[in-house]
């Protein structure tokens, strides 16, 4: 029987015996595949940015690196439909295969012709379009490989994989550039992503009930999309949770991307200072992910999510007020700790409370702001910092982020939400 078609409730299905996620071979295969894919993504991002800077002006390089967000924003809701219709594992396998092929093709072209902005823009568009399908599927996959009681632990493991990719991706990308210039870096990214495919092929997932599969087969994609949006809108917990996630992401993306670099320039910290602040953030997020992976479940998840978002928003606002670099690094560690905790809890609540038939669409709706819409606003964040300085922009972003925490605490159904035992 193919891995994508394992019965939902049989004794051989993933998580059927309550095996802890960190000891479950099925989960560990998924984790290795996900880590390889994320490291490849990190290498790809560095290779794209470095090659774009070599091929054009800084402004042109910024356009090339941002252009991938456009198809991601436009197509992600449709990507959620694809993930639900064909199964998240199958969609992730195909997506990684396409991304691998695109990176290796770019490496070959760069080796033969040298860097060109048109090639890099096309590559960014391809990755953005594939990401629109990949992101909802990869977010929906944990709920199909383990039991509901292990989802919080899996989200913690996923956070550790993201932090690991961020730490090792840049040095690996730099090594690829040093050994083979742009072509070598893109080839390395493609090979890392390729490593996830055979691992994913060995991951077992649970099948949806046959009546849901049959109903899905009779529906059109457009009807699937409308049903998914209606499902999220009518859910007493998912609707406010998605709103809280969107507000939190809108307030978070600007300061921790372009805003941080401009703040460092304003304070004279330089590139080294940016690196230290980012290291502080990554350390805090890693601690939160590790704690959740070890603990497995935290009580009062809805209330804790709201409090963590509020605390993280206050820390974001305070970051621009820090008198020196060590204080900024410490504040960034607190930002990472609180936002990492709230992000993992949001993911666990989202995937444990959603109907399995809607997981791809639910994750698409939840992710469209942070991965599609918010990156398009980065030039506006940069312009705002240039006009008014980092302090007011960080405070405004913190206020938007804090609204997400207020939503989580103000809606009784979300405030009382719990993770399954």
């Amino acid at each position: 029987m193919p891995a994508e078609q394992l019965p939902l409730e049989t004794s051989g299905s993933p998580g059927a015996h309550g095996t802890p996620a960190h000891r479950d071979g099925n989960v560990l295969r998924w984790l290795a595949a996900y880590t390889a894919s994320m490291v490849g993504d990190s290498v790809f991002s560095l290779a794209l940015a470095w090659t774009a800077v070599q091929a054009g002006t800084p402004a042109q390089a910024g356009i090339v690196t941002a252009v991938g967000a456009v198809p991601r924003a436009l197509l992600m809701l449709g990507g959620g439909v694809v993930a639900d219709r064909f199964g998240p594992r199958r969609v992730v396998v195909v997506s990684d295969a396409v991304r691998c092929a695109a990176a290796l093709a770019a490496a070959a072209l760069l080796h033969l012709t040298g860097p060109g902005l048109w090639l890099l823009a096309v590559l960014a568009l391809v990755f953005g379009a594939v990401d629109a399908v990949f992101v909802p599927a990869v977010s929906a996959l944990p709920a199909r490989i383990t039991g509901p009681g292990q989802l919080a632990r899996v989200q913690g493991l996923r956070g550790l994989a993201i932090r690991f990719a961020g730490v090792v991706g840049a040095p690996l990308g730099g090594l690829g550039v040093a050994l083979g210039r742009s072509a070598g870096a893109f080839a390395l990214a493609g090979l890392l992503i390729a490593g996830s495919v055979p691992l994913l092929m060995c991951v077992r997932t649970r099948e949806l009930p046959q009546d849901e599969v049959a109903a899905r087969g009779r529906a059109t994609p457009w009807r699937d999309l409308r049903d998914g949006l209606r499902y999220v809108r009518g859910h007493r917990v998912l609707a406010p949770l998605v709103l809280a996630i969107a507000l939190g992401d809108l307030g978070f993306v600007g300061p921790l991307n372009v805003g941080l670099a401009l703040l460092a320039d304003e304070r004279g910290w330089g590139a080294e200072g940016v690196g230290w602040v980012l290291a502080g953030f990554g350390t805090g997020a890693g601690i939160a992910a590790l704690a959740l992976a070890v603990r497995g479940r935290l009580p009062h998840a809805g209330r804790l999510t709201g409090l963590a978002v509020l605390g993280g928003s206050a820390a974001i606002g305070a970051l621009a007020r820090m008198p020196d670099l060590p204080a900024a690094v410490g504040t960034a560690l607190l930002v990472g700790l609180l936002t990492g905790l709230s992000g993992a809890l949001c993911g666990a609540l989202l995937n444990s409370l959603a109907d399995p038939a809607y997981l791809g669409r639910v994750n698409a709706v939840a992710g469209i702001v942070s991965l599609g819409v918010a990156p398009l606003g980065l030039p506006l964040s940069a312009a705002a910092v240039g006009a008014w300085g980092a302090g007011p922009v960080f405070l405004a972003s913190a206020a938007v982020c804090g609204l997400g925490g207020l939503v989580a605490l103000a809606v009784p159904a979300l405030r009382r939400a719990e993770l399954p035992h």
Side-chain angles (χ1 to χ4, degrees), residues 29-42:
R29 285 190 294 272
W30 161 82
L31 181 64
Y34 183 72
T35 303
S37 183
M38 290 300 97
V39 174
D41 264 350
S42 183

Side-chain angles (χ1 to χ4, degrees), residues 124-231:
L125 286 170
V126 169
F127 261 69
V130 176
D131 276 350
V133 181
F134 173 81
V135 170
V138 82
S139 300
L141 191 53
R144 299 281 287 273
I145 64 173
T146 190
Q150 294 297 317
L151 277 175
R153 183 169 274 130
V154 169
Q155 290 296 332
L157 293 172
R158 186 180 177 190
L160 287 174
I162 292 171
R163 301 276 74 81
F164 176 80
V167 170
V168 306
L172 280 178
L175 180 63
V177 169
L179 296 179
R181 303 187 64 79
S182 297
F186 280 115
L188 178 59
L191 292 174
L192 285 166
I193 295 172
S196 70
V197 174
L199 288 167
L200 284 169
M201 296 294 290
C202 299
V203 171
R204 297 174 295 116
T205 60
R206 295 183 293 174
E207 183 188 356
L208 295 175
Q210 288 302 312
D211 56 344
E212 293 187 14
V213 175
R216 186 175 61 188
R218 291 192 297 269
T220 64
W222 177 246
R223 181 179 174 183
D224 278 351
L225 177 58
R226 287 189 292 120
D227 285 348
L229 294 174
R230 189 182 301 116
Y231 173 75

Side-chain angles (χ1 to χ4, degrees), residues 365-392:
V365 174
I368 193 171
V369 171
S370 60
L371 296 171
V373 177
L376 298 177
L378 292 180
L380 293 177
S381 297
V385 172
W388 298 301

Side-chain angles (χ1 to χ4, degrees), residues 23 63 105 112 132 152 187 190 192 198 204 280 289 382:
R23 293 192 218 139
I63 293 173
L112 294 173
L192 285 166
R204 297 174 295 116

Side-chain angles (χ1 to χ4, degrees), residues 72 107 119 122 188 195 234 321 393:
R72 198 182 299 128
L119 170 62
V122 169
L188 178 59
R321 302 289 181 179
V393 174

Side-chain angles (χ1 to χ4, degrees), residues 92-104 126-127 130 193 197:
V92 172
V93 168
V94 173
S95 299
D96 271 347
V98 172
R99 296 193 306 155
C100 166
L104 293 178
V126 169
F127 261 69
V130 176
I193 295 172
V197 174

